[in-house]
Structures are given as structure tokens and as C-alpha cells.
Amino acid sequence: MGFGPFFQQQLSLDEFDAATPARVTARDGLILQLITPSGFQRLTLPGGWRALPVDEQPVVGDWLLLDAAGVAQRLLERSSFLARRAAGHGHHLQPMAANLSTLFIVTSCNQDFNPSRLERYLTLAQEGGAAPVIVLTKADLLENPADLLRQAQRLAPGLIALALDARQTEARTLLAPWLGEGETVAFVGSSGVGKSTLINTLRGEAAQATGAIREDDAHGRHTTTSRQLLPLEGGAWLLDTPGMRELRVEASDAGLEAVFADVAALAERCRFRDCGHQQDDGCAVRAAVDDGEIDVRRLENFLKLQREQGYLRESAHESRDRQRKFSKMVNSAKVTKFGRR
Ligand SMILES: Nc1nc2c(ncn2[C@@H]2O[C@H](COP(=O)(O)OP(=O)(O)OP(=O)(O)O)[C@@H](O)[C@H]2O)c(=O)[nH]1
Ligand SMILES: [Zn+2]
């Protein structure tokens, strides 16, 4: 189930004796599907949990400690956490997944291959703490995917990229290093790149039975709930939520700096501290582009993601500002009303 030393070490002696670790396999409102050492079970979270900030509430992949009576005690600290920031709502966070070891970023060897989109996904993985692996599907449609693989590998320091035919069982062998006992993985990528095909290949026999299970709810009715954490053949867990598959990504500051480490390092050498890397005047980044060291496309995507990041921050700031002005106005209106002006 992936309950390794990282989680074990978070238990106190008492908890070690009396508490049961349970992993969240799905969540619907306050209803959690859990897997525990004694099997799958369903748990309604006490309402108080809802008052917690969203990122402190259980999400698929989380480890929850249950006391002897089966009551949820606390969430264990996460090894990774993917959340998306919904644009337009300031910094509203939408938790996606917890405790992923690997995020497979899937793209195909044909028209879908888009370095800028991959860089976006990479910043997400980087910020969340899940190790990214790029998977190029439909390799069978190319004579030689080596060139695309090289392009993909260059997108972040130390990045691994693989090319495969998602329909062939050989894909299992290629991905096996990331699918060992207790690992938790997820797949992201645009529609049609072959995620479902690949997942079916990896699940093998297990794929025939879907994630849906029938259970009796509190009123004795049969309900069908979909588990979103599914066992794979090598002992790994696949985290497969609708949100994960449809993930649209926003850039993040920390993620940007890591994925664009080359640009960030060059930027240190620009003549002006606040260099926007738009003009050649003393700009080390532009110079690297001219020397062919960095793709123009990569630099432009970096600047674009950085701008988006700025907008998000600004909109959160603006809404705070607006609120402040509003309460000021309300206060001064009160003062006027009582004739103190
Ligand atoms: N030739 C070839 N075709 C593939 C490969 N992988 C997937 N396909 C085909 O591509 C089409 C789309 O694959 P899906 O697995 O449905 O893609 P998806 O990413 O799950 O798409 P959504 O479900 O829309 O998110 C299907 O017709 C697959 O058979 C591959 O490696 N090689
Ligand atoms: Zn510059």
C-alpha cells in the first residue's frame, strides 16, 4: 500500500500500538473510501474536518490514522501533494492527489508533442514533489523517436523520457522501474495521447474489472462508488481520478525556477537585476538564445508562464486591496452616520 518508513516514522509509540493507518482511495464530500490492512471500507468524516483549509483535508492518496474505534484522528504528512490553482478565483487551491511517487507526463510522438505544454506539467510535478517522467506514446508511428526523446529530455535538468507503443505489453517492462511495490503513480496529458490505452496495458488482467465496487450504504442500499487508487501488477498503485486526467496546469514560481534552471542561472548574470530578458542590453539570457544555447521557444514559454504567475499573484493582491478599500468605506460611512465628521 505504500506505507513506507516516511509514514511509519510519523507515528508516536501509542499510535504505533493502537492506531490503524488507512489510505484514501476516493473521496466524495465527507465520504471517504479507504483501504486498511483488513480491506476496503467507507468512512464519513466528522463535519469538523470541513472547516479545515482544503489542503489539510484528505485527498486521494492520503494516509489517515484511525483510532481503535475507527475514528479519523489525523492526516499523515505527505511525501508529495499536487494541487491546481484555479485561475480567476485568486489563489483558490484544488487538491488533486497526495503521496505520488511518480507523475507520468504523457504525450504522443505526433502533433501533440508540445515542449511548452510539457514544461507546464513539469513545473506542476516539481512544485508538488512528485518525480516527473515523460512518456512519448505512439512511437510506432515514427521511424526513430530519438530526436523527440532528446528534445523532451532537455526540458528540465536530469529529466527522463521514454518512447513506447502504449498498446504493447513491452510498455510494462519499460515503466517497471517506477512501478515497484508500494509506489504510487499517476498519468497526465491531453486527450487522445493514449493514457487509457497505456493504463489498460499496465493493469493487464486487472483492467477487465473496473474500479467500481458495489457496497451497502448506511440505509442498506447498493451504491456504486468508483475507487481511484487501483493496484497495478508490479505492486504499485495507480491514482486515476477524472480531475487528474483532465488536469490543466498553471505555472508556479518554485516549479519554474527548477524546470528552467538554465534560464534562472543565466538571469543571474544579466546586467540589470530586474531584467525582463526582452532587450539585448546586457541580457545574458538573450545572449544565450543568440548563441543557440537556449531555444527562443523555451525562453518565450518561460516568460509567459512567469507572467501568468504574476497575474495570479496580482489578482489575489487586488482582491485583498479591494476588500480593504471596501471596509474603509464602510467604516467612514458609519462615522458619518453618527455625525462625528
Ligand atoms: N499507434 C498507436 N496508437 C495508439 C497508441 N496509444 C494509443 N493509441 C490510440 O490512440 C487513441 C487514443 O488513445 P486513448 O488511450 O483513448 O487516449 P487517452 O489519452 O486516454 O484519451 P482520453 O481518454 O480522451 O483522455 C486510441 O485509438 C488508441 O488505440 C500507440 O502507442 N500507438
Ligand atoms: Zn536578461
Side-chain angles (χ1 to χ4, degrees):
M1 287 156 62
F3 195 72
F6 178 83
F7 301 106
Q8 248 162 45
Q9 283 162 5
Q10 298 180 40
L11 301 195
S12 68
L13 262 180
D14 283 349
E15 286 172 337
F16 199 85
D17 287 337
T20 306
R23 195 153 192 207
V24 178
T25 61
R27 176 172 178 185
D28 180 11
L30 288 180
I31 316 254
L32 302 179
Q33 303 284 335
L34 302 175
I35 181 169
T36 69
S38 47
F40 284 97
Q41 76 176 64
R42 173 194 266 270
L43 178 87
T44 306
L45 273 180
W49 281 77
R50 208 162 233 179
L52 292 174
V54 283
D55 58 342
E56 289 172 29
Q57 295 188 27
V59 61
V60 181
D62 257 327
W63 281 102
L64 200 58
L65 277 193
L66 307 180
D67 67 10
V71 177
Q73 294 299 295
R74 67 183 180 101
L75 271 189
L76 294 186
E77 191 197 324
R78 296 155 173 157
S79 62
S80 69
F81 178 61
L82 294 197
R84 44 160 297 171
R85 256 175 259 274
H89 300 278
H91 259 157
H92 177 67
L93 268 189
Q94 251 173 288
M96 306 281 315
N99 301 320
L100 278 186
S101 20
T102 305
L103 183 70
F104 289 110
I105 301 171
V106 188
T107 182
S108 66
C109 284
N110 52 13
Q111 314 83 287
D112 185 71
F113 186 85
N114 178 331
S116 299
R117 191 174 330 111
L118 293 177
E119 284 165 346
R120 231 170 229 278
Y121 281 122
L122 288 169
T123 62
L124 171 94
Q126 182 65 43
E127 172 160 89
V133 171
I134 305 254
V135 176
L136 300 175
T137 55
K138 311 194 186 183
D140 51 296
L141 301 180
L142 285 188
E143 210 146 274
N144 182 2
D147 182 45
L148 277 188
L149 277 174
R150 251 194 311 276
Q151 279 189 53
Q153 259 146 10
R154 280 206 314 256
L155 296 176
L159 182 62
I160 295 179
L162 306 159
L164 48 79
D165 179 342
R167 302 162 305 172
Q168 304 292 326
T169 49
E170 200 205 339
R172 277 191 220 166
T173 323
L174 277 166
L175 299 187
W178 295 274
L179 301 179
E181 194 81 49
E183 304 289 337
T184 305
V185 303
F187 293 81
V188 293
S190 327
S191 180
V193 295
K195 296 180 299 294
S196 312
T197 309
L198 184 56
I199 287 169
N200 284 341
T201 302
L202 295 177
R203 296 198 65 210
E205 305 284 283
Q208 309 316 323
T210 63
I213 43 165
R214 280 162 69 79
E215 273 179 292
D216 290 329
D217 68 10
H219 307 286
R221 284 182 309 235
H222 280 307
T223 53
T224 305
T225 32
S226 180
R227 272 184 219 139
Q228 299 165 336
L229 202 59
L230 306 163
L232 294 178
E233 261 170 34
W237 291 84
L238 165 69
L239 193 149
D240 191 22
T241 65
M244 209 62 212
R245 287 208 196 181
E246 291 149 17
L247 188 66
R248 303 254 184 302
V249 284
E250 316 296 337
S252 80
D253 249 1
L256 274 178
E257 296 257 314
V259 174
F260 293 89
D262 49 352
V263 180
L266 284 163
E268 302 260 305
R269 305 210 309 259
C270 293
R271 182 174 307 148
F272 303 107
R273 246 198 102 78
D274 58 348
C275 181
H277 320 305
Q278 308 280 4
Q279 264 93 43
D280 286 336
D281 188 19
C283 177
V285 180
R286 284 276 158 199
V289 170
D290 290 341
D291 293 348
E293 228 178 283
I294 287 181
D295 280 353
V296 187
R297 182 213 52 79
R298 182 170 168 86
L299 173 59
E300 272 164 9
N301 193 40
F302 171 76
L303 294 173
K304 180 172 166 203
L305 295 176
Q306 212 182 31
R307 269 197 307 278
E308 275 175 24
Q309 183 59 22
Y311 286 141
L312 282 177
R313 225 181 289 119
E314 208 164 280
S315 67
H317 184 80
E318 271 168 12
S319 81
R320 264 198 309 277
D321 228 39
R322 218 176 306 115
Q323 255 165 9
R324 217 175 291 127
K325 274 187 197 134
F326 179 71
S327 55
K328 230 179 182 173
M329 190 182 80
V330 171
N331 286 336
S332 74
K334 277 186 201 150
V335 173
T336 318
K337 196 170 159 195
F338 291 105
R340 275 197 255 143
R341 262 224 228 159

